Amino acid sequence: MSQPSPVAERDLTAAAPDPTATQVNSEKKADKEPVKPTAHFAALHAQITEALSIAEFGVPAVAQPVAQSGVLIETSRNRLTLSTFDFWTAVSVTAPVETPVAKGYSLLHFAQLKKALAAMAAGETKAVAARTPVSLAGDLLATEHITVPITALDINAFTHPPEAVPAMATMDAQTFLTQLNRVLTTAGRDDTLPTLTGVQMTLDGGTLTMAATDRYRFAVAEVTARATIQPPEKPLTALIPAGVLTPLAKRLKAYDGPMGIGIIEDGDGITARATLSMGDTTITMRPLEGELPRYKSLFPTECDASVQVDRATLVRAAKKCQALISAKGEKGSPVSFAWSDDGTLTLAPRIGTADDQARTKGMTIPATITHGSADTVRGNILSHNPAFLLDALGTFSGDTITLHIRGMEEGQTTKPVLLTGGPDIAGDGYRHLLMPVRIDLTR
């Protein structure tokens, strides 16, 4: 059995941005006299804990220099701002404080601050812990029961985050997250092809388009956006690492409100970046280098046959087939749609010898031909990687999905199959392209 053909053969490898120069500049700044921590605030435990949980997206797993492992706390009047930056992602969270405070700055060790906050509420119920007053004076963290110093880091060695991009358009956050989660499943995980590990976001007038591919599948989703400024003369694009967007999508799944987006591309002395804004929180992300293949030509505008299938039944069948492939120890074998002479559609695992396959009976899938003729698919098969098929099915929520099929030759097709949530090949703002697996039918 041959391996699936990639959606695009173009070499998309691109080196990730190297923050070395930025770090060197930070080390030079460290020669200055250390700055005494001066931030002061009083707030509820739940407010600070919530703000830190969002700021954590900008804290590096391994910090170099050490100052980047800190959270910059800025206080002014009745506002508290927490900032973090790992050279890829910059997070700024603003939270209200209970009493007016003077202007001040403290760079505190993030992990230590987070753990200390949790420890200082130990023994309390969740409700009591949430409303426990917490205060900070420079580097001293206190509740009514206990006071403890937190390790202060040198602000001189801290590389400040880039300025957030003002929102150019706003959209419903839940709609954005739904469409983002759909395309994230298709983003590549092969670090040797870093460009394919991102989600490409393109803002064009009143539409934000998100796209991702790993060469064997390609997903595109659209979100309606309302421009907050005069739309730029040309579309703006940023390729954001999926590794940043995946945990972000999980963390923001409960956020209900408008979300803003701003994109700045590379230019003369300008650092490319994209910012997502939610109320008093901004998350600014550095894009990957390169771009995805021009995918519009990959998505068909017409097909030979469209087959609408019951999604729940197909999911059950695909899981059974995948489990049987695993049980037989034939990792890498595909699952095959097959249309009998009377037009009945079944899904079966393609395992064993030719004789085994001939005696294997697949699970019947309720299906309706919505475009083209049954003659196009009758007697043919369509094979897919079962994991990819299940991933694709999981991105749809309706009772049915439609397979748009092209070019059935010699019993099967080598052209990508388009999956949409409705009978229309244009889709409803989301389309999923899935490469078939070419197999040897004579085996």
Side-chain angles (χ1 to χ4, degrees), residues 183-237:
V183 301
L184 277 171
T185 60
T186 63
R189 295 171 177 81
D190 184 355
D191 290 335
T192 64
L193 296 173
T195 303
L196 300 187
T197 63
V199 172
Q200 186 165 286
M201 296 189 179
T202 302
L203 185 60
D204 187 4
T207 302
L208 175 69
T209 303
M210 293 179 281
T213 183
D214 62 1
R215 295 189 301 159
Y216 305 115
R217 49 214 174 138
F218 212 129
V220 175
E222 295 180 348
V223 178
T224 300
R226 182 176 62 85
T228 58
I229 61 173
Q230 181 68 29
E233 295 180 358
K234 69 180 186 68
L236 297 174
T237 297

Side-chain angles (χ1 to χ4, degrees), residues 236-284:
L236 297 174
T237 297
L239 185 60
I240 308 301
V244 172
L245 293 171
T246 298
L248 177 62
K250 291 179 181 178
R251 179 63 186 81
L252 298 177
K253 63 182 179 181
Y255 176 74
D256 187 16
M259 175 177 286
I261 184 168
I263 296 174
I264 290 180
E265 296 181 335
D266 273 322
D268 232 0
I270 297 174
T271 301
R273 57 197 186 277
T275 296
L276 295 176
S277 53
M278 298 137 286
D280 289 328
T281 298
T282 63
I283 300 174
T284 302

Side-chain angles (χ1 to χ4, degrees), residues 3-303:
Q3 294 297 317
S5 301
V7 172
E9 296 291 346
R10 177 180 172 187
D11 182 5
L12 297 169
T13 56
D18 182 1
T20 304
T22 310
Q23 294 175 8
V24 169
N25 291 336
S26 298
E27 290 167 1
K28 289 180 179 178
K29 292 189 296 182
D31 294 336
K32 299 180 181 178
E33 286 295 320
V35 176
K36 182 181 178 180
T38 57
H40 287 69
F41 69 77
L44 295 180
H45 190 280
Q47 292 175 319
I48 304 305
T49 301
E50 173 72 10
L52 283 175
S53 70
I54 298 174
E56 191 165 10
F57 284 109
V59 180
V62 179
Q64 182 61 36
V66 176
Q68 294 309 125
S69 65
V71 54
L72 179 62
I73 302 173
E74 300 177 66
T75 54
S76 177
R77 295 186 181 180
N78 63 340
R79 298 181 75 82
L80 160 71
T81 301
L82 307 179
S83 300
T84 54
F85 182 40
D86 67 359
F87 299 111
W88 278 101
T89 306
V91 181
S92 174
V93 185
T94 300
V97 291
E98 293 185 346
T99 56
V101 294
K103 187 173 183 179
Y105 303 89
S106 294
L107 181 66
L108 303 183
H109 192 283
F110 180 91
Q112 190 180 119
L113 175 60
K114 180 183 176 182
K115 291 177 182 178
L117 268 173
M120 293 169 82
E124 309 291 354
T125 65
K126 192 173 182 179
V128 170
R131 60 176 181 264
T132 297
V134 176
S135 65
L136 180 75
D139 61 353
L140 281 176
L141 186 67
T143 67
E144 61 179 322
H145 301 296
I146 194 166
T147 300
V148 63
I150 305 298
T151 298
L153 303 174
D154 186 5
I155 291 180
N156 289 325
F158 181 73
T159 298
H160 290 259
E163 185 177 354
V165 184
M168 299 173 174
T170 60
M171 56 209 154
D172 177 72
Q174 287 306 306
T175 301
F176 167 80
L177 291 172
T178 296
Q179 297 292 64
L180 173 61
N181 281 320
R182 285 174 136 183
V183 301
L184 277 171
T185 60
T186 63
R189 295 171 177 81
D190 184 355
D191 290 335
T192 64
L193 296 173
T195 303
L196 300 187
T197 63
V199 172
Q200 186 165 286
M201 296 189 179
T202 302
L203 185 60
D204 187 4
T207 302
L208 175 69
T209 303
M210 293 179 281
T213 183
D214 62 1
R215 295 189 301 159
Y216 305 115
R217 49 214 174 138
F218 212 129
V220 175
E222 295 180 348
V223 178
T224 300
R226 182 176 62 85
T228 58
I229 61 173
Q230 181 68 29
E233 295 180 358
K234 69 180 186 68
L236 297 174
T237 297
L239 185 60
I240 308 301
V244 172
L245 293 171
T246 298
L248 177 62
K250 291 179 181 178
R251 179 63 186 81
L252 298 177
K253 63 182 179 181
Y255 176 74
D256 187 16
M259 175 177 286
I261 184 168
I263 296 174
I264 290 180
E265 296 181 335
D266 273 322
D268 232 0
I270 297 174
T271 301
R273 57 197 186 277
T275 296
L276 295 176
S277 53
M278 298 137 286
D280 289 328
T281 298
T282 63
I283 300 174
T284 302
M285 298 158 288
R286 185 176 183 174
L288 295 164
E289 292 183 353
E291 61 180 15
L292 298 187
R294 297 186 182 276
Y295 55 81
K296 287 187 178 180
S297 61
L298 298 175
F299 283 81
T301 56
E302 57 184 29
C303 63

